[in-house]
Amino acid sequence: MTTAKSKAPLSSASAKTLTNMWCFLVVISLIVVSSDADSGSFIDDHHRHCSHRHPRAHEVVHGVHVEPAHIVKKRSINQQLRILLHYDDSVYRLDDRKFELINNTILPEAVHFWERALMVRETRGTIRLNRKCESTQVFVKDNLTHCIDTCKSETMCGEVVVPEEHLDACRICNKAGLNCRVEPGSVPGSGIDGADFVFYVSAMSTERCKKGLTVAYAAHCQQEAALDRPIAGHANLCPESISTKSQELETLLSTVKHEILHALGFSASRVPEEPRPASRLSTKRCKRTSGASRRSAR
Ligand SMILES: *[C@@H]1O[C@H](CO)[C@@H](O)[C@H](O)[C@H]1NC(C)=O
Ligand SMILES: *[C@@H]1O[C@H](CO)[C@@H](O)[C@H](O)[C@H]1NC(C)=O
């Protein structure tokens, strides 16, 4: 892991990428927010790992239809980001002290931090995430994504199984891209209202947790169609690494804030430099554990 400090302002190139991707209005609000952020809170201990890797192509679902692009694009960027938290069962299996710390202190503070910091174009439609397909190829018809013949029985976001009520109906076409329809018997879930982003949180002791001193990892998993912005993401908090010691609270909080940034889609391979408008933000760079070939191709 490298810990890179930089006072460089947001470069125009990275600002442009950011605008394309999220249409965030970050600068003014971050300066306000940073005044109540502990100045040391973004510099993690050197021995802590953030093992972020950019999600692989097959891990990200594109083209989630929420609202038509011509309507969304007219809205101004004047609404605070609204994040809906969804816990995997593994979070409820944490011991009581860890659950309380995560549920009552760490997640509310970390989520609220980014909700206050980031402004977006409001999502007025109901979010229903796309189902994953068995094949890597999909068809897009009437701006809706269709699987070939069948959808996967479960759609994952990171380690988390997306609940049926968050999913759209299964749409399919035949191998030739014809006879496109909703799979008979498949119904859309009730969906998510009043949020711009769904954040799935798990607390599983996975292989990745066991590598090095990984505390947590995160990435986005679905992007919506009109603005191509991430609309769902996940983080896994490695249970053994959650410390309830009060002297480690700030470190845990800054780690979770950092992971939420990855869940929102900020990643070294999407944005040349992670956003650091207030210069204190993101003083840490993540170690990349894969994606080398993609990077060398850039
Ligand atoms: C978890 O957090 C939510 C929202 O802050 C709260 O309503 C709920 O009571 C908490 N659960 C427990 C078991 O503390
Ligand atoms: C699909 O999206 C394009 C671009 O956003 C839009 O111009 C077109 O009207 C949409 N088509 C349908 C059938 O919604």
Side-chain angles (χ1 to χ4, degrees):
M1 190 191 81
T2 55
T3 301
K5 280 193 209 174
S6 170
K7 294 202 162 48
L10 195 64
S11 74
S12 60
S14 58
K16 189 157 173 283
T17 317
L18 268 180
T19 311
N20 289 346
M21 172 185 150
W22 250 113
C23 298
F24 278 143
L25 188 69
V26 284
V27 181
I28 296 163
S29 52
L30 274 177
I31 289 164
V32 173
V33 167
S34 65
S35 62
D36 59 85
D38 180 343
S39 61
S41 69
F42 282 88
I43 304 162
D44 277 12
D45 297 349
H46 285 258
H47 54 272
R48 297 273 177 170
H49 269 220
C50 164
S51 70
H52 179 69
R53 57 171 178 73
H54 189 67
R56 299 179 191 118
H58 71 269
E59 292 170 331
V60 180
V61 175
H62 293 260
V64 178
H65 179 81
V66 182
E67 292 172 286
H70 67 274
I71 293 177
V72 185
K73 283 182 178 163
K74 269 190 218 141
R75 269 177 219 145
S76 57
I77 305 170
N78 62 356
Q79 143 106 33
Q80 283 192 1
L81 175 68
R82 298 161 303 167
I83 297 175
L84 178 93
L85 259 178
H86 180 90
Y87 291 165
D88 177 72
D89 285 345
S90 55
V91 175
Y92 299 107
R93 288 196 292 269
L94 286 169
D95 70 47
D96 290 352
R97 288 179 62 203
K98 288 185 181 178
F99 177 82
E100 262 177 45
L101 177 69
I102 294 298
N103 181 67
N104 301 9
T105 306
I106 300 293
L107 278 173
E109 279 193 35
V111 166
H112 196 55
F113 176 84
W114 289 117
E115 286 181 328
R116 278 179 300 168
L118 301 173
M119 307 290 277
V120 297
R121 286 192 170 84
E122 183 183 1
T123 304
R124 296 209 186 126
T126 302
I127 297 174
R128 289 188 186 86
L129 299 180
N130 282 359
R131 287 174 192 268
K132 283 207 171 164
C133 304
E134 292 287 355
S135 64
T136 51
Q137 201 192 349
V138 296
F139 289 108
V140 178
K141 189 158 182 282
D142 298 338
N143 293 344
L144 296 170
T145 307
H146 293 67
C147 294
I148 300 171
D149 293 336
T150 180
C151 302
K152 274 196 172 160
S153 58
E154 283 183 340
T155 295
M156 305 292 290
C157 184
E159 315 289 353
V160 181
V161 178
V162 176
E164 279 288 317
E165 58 269 27
H166 291 182
L167 290 173
D168 200 352
C170 169
R171 291 169 205 281
I172 52 172
C173 303
N174 68 17
K175 287 189 178 59
L178 302 170
N179 192 20
C180 299
R181 62 199 192 278
V182 169
E183 188 179 52
S186 178
V187 287
S190 51
I192 298 135
D193 289 302
D196 306 291
F197 187 84
V198 198
F199 181 37
Y200 296 99
V201 182
S202 56
M204 296 181 199
S205 190
T206 59
E207 282 305 310
R208 265 177 92 180
C209 288
K210 289 167 199 153
K211 274 186 209 142
L213 286 154
T214 301
V215 181
Y217 51 90
H220 72 288
C221 64
Q222 299 219 358
Q223 284 171 227
E224 65 83 55
L227 304 168
D228 204 32
R229 73 182 180 190
I231 201 162
H234 66 88
N236 186 55
L237 311 176
C238 299
E240 281 79 35
S241 307
I242 300 170
S243 167
T244 51
K245 291 188 193 126
S246 62
Q247 66 269 30
E248 290 179 34
L249 187 80
E250 280 306 317
T251 307
L252 183 60
L253 181 59
S254 74
T255 302
V256 173
K257 280 181 186 166
H258 181 99
E259 297 308 329
I260 292 176
L261 203 58
H262 287 311
L264 288 168
F266 293 91
S267 169
S269 55
R270 297 203 55 160
V271 183
E273 299 284 304
E274 287 196 15
R276 47 170 77 100
S279 83
R280 278 208 291 264
L281 281 170
S282 209
T283 50
K284 185 178 76 168
R285 295 289 206 84
C286 275
K287 189 179 117 174
R288 290 168 57 104
T289 52
S290 76
S293 59
R294 190 175 312 171
R295 182 167 47 173
S296 60
R298 283 161 52 106

